[in-house]
Amino acid sequence: MNVVETRGLTKSYRGKRAVDRLDLHVAQGGIYGFVGKNGAGKSTVMKMVCGLAAPTEGEIELFGGRAGADARGEAARPAGTSRVGALIEAPGIVPNLTAYENLMAKALALGVVDAPARCREALALVGLEGVGRKKAKGFSLGMKQRLGLALALVGSPDLLLLDEPFNGLDPEGTRAMRNLIVRLNQTLGVTVVISSHVLDQLDRVATRFGVIAEGRMVREMTAEQVQAECGDSLRVRTAD
Ligand code: ATP
């Protein structure tokens, strides 16, 4: 089953197409690497999938339930967005709150059952259990990314959308984030979509890839196809 399917997904800003008739297929349980240059349209697709932005045209189907543009041309929020956790651009961390308080604020807004336990669990999932009482403003970039991930996980999502989760991280931080994402996918069974402008960051992480350029889907392919076609260059750049 596909947890995300888009058909002809289009977003125009002042008449210019940022996303252009894009068909995306994300299989349940996998890690989907969404690759494209800066400005290709990755963030805009993710925002539409989680309901933060409305499509100009096209359809989004989440978990098999359909939602699309209504008769007035206004897009409906895709059915199923409550099952989506997203880390997109600035993850909405309040610097003066502790990590735990940041999570509690989100958990309460979502109406999470047994919020304190869930927040402690989310901290442990991302390896921040020791710093829950520390204010977020003292966190390194890597810790902020982890807290952003915990915020995305607090509602126990079935689909996790991570927009450029390695941005700004050093090689060690990137490696830790890659391992964490794979572990979450394997232990929680959560389907993950990760966008990146660097293909090799997703090598040995993503099970399937979609390549986007100028708002269009160039190609969707399996990890094996990527390895066969550009494996050597990937291996050289990710030697660790
Ligand atoms: P990046 O990694 O740099 O964020 P991206 O692949 O995620 O790149 P988008 O952020 O989706 O790309 O942007 C795609 C195109 O849409 C760009 O040309 C961008 O300038 C434009 N765009 C995105 N958001 C808006 C907006 N709110 N208003 C106008 N144009 C926008």
Side-chain angles (χ1 to χ4, degrees):
M1 193 210 31
N2 286 330
V3 298
V4 186
E5 258 188 59
T6 72
R7 278 179 288 275
L9 187 64
T10 298
K11 179 74 179 177
S12 300
Y13 292 110
R14 289 179 291 276
K16 186 174 171 291
R17 287 187 175 190
V19 176
D20 193 3
R21 292 163 287 172
L22 184 117
D23 296 343
L24 181 76
H25 306 87
V26 179
Q28 186 173 28
I31 300 183
Y32 186 98
F34 195 30
V35 188
K37 287 185 190 167
N38 288 329
K42 305 178 297 294
S43 303
T44 307
V45 171
M46 291 222 179
K47 284 181 196 163
M48 288 191 278
V49 169
C50 70
L52 278 175
T56 311
E57 280 172 49
E59 284 181 354
I60 300 171
E61 201 172 289
L62 295 179
F63 311 105
R66 193 170 301 188
D70 68 17
R72 295 178 311 250
E74 291 171 14
R77 200 173 146 93
T81 46
S82 61
R83 294 168 63 187
V84 181
L87 172 58
I88 295 181
E89 289 166 4
I93 295 169
V94 183
N96 266 323
L97 295 183
T98 66
Y100 176 78
E101 289 165 348
N102 266 285
L103 288 168
M104 276 299 281
K106 174 93 182 273
L108 294 174
L110 291 176
V112 168
V113 177
D114 199 1
R118 180 64 198 150
C119 292
R120 285 194 296 273
E121 200 180 335
L123 283 171
L125 282 171
V126 301
L128 289 180
E129 61 272 46
V131 293
R133 290 164 190 249
K134 294 223 159 69
K135 287 192 177 176
K137 65 181 171 192
F139 282 12
S140 67
L141 187 61
M143 289 164 80
K144 282 186 183 145
Q145 287 292 74
R146 279 168 184 263
L147 181 54
L149 195 49
L151 284 164
L153 287 168
V154 86
S156 307
D158 295 309
L159 170 66
L160 203 49
L161 302 178
L162 307 177
D163 191 19
E164 300 273 2
F166 312 112
N167 254 5
L169 298 180
D170 61 17
E172 181 49 41
T174 300
R175 191 154 43 234
M177 188 54 116
R178 280 163 49 103
N179 291 340
L180 176 57
I181 292 167
V182 171
R183 203 166 63 239
L184 291 171
N185 168 253
Q186 287 173 353
T187 56
L188 303 176
V190 61
T191 305
V192 185
V193 178
I194 312 177
S195 77
S196 178
H197 62 283
V198 186
L199 176 64
D200 60 5
Q201 285 179 333
L202 300 175
D203 179 36
R204 284 173 287 150
V205 173
T207 47
R208 219 178 141 72
F209 288 85
V211 181
I212 180 175
E214 294 177 2
R216 298 202 182 121
M217 184 64 84
V218 178
R219 199 169 150 200
E220 287 185 304
M221 52 186 155
T222 63
E224 290 74 29
Q225 286 172 313
V226 172
Q227 275 299 332
E229 292 180 29
C230 36
D232 286 344
S233 57
L234 285 176
R235 228 166 276 129
V236 170
R237 281 180 284 154
T238 56
D240 55 14

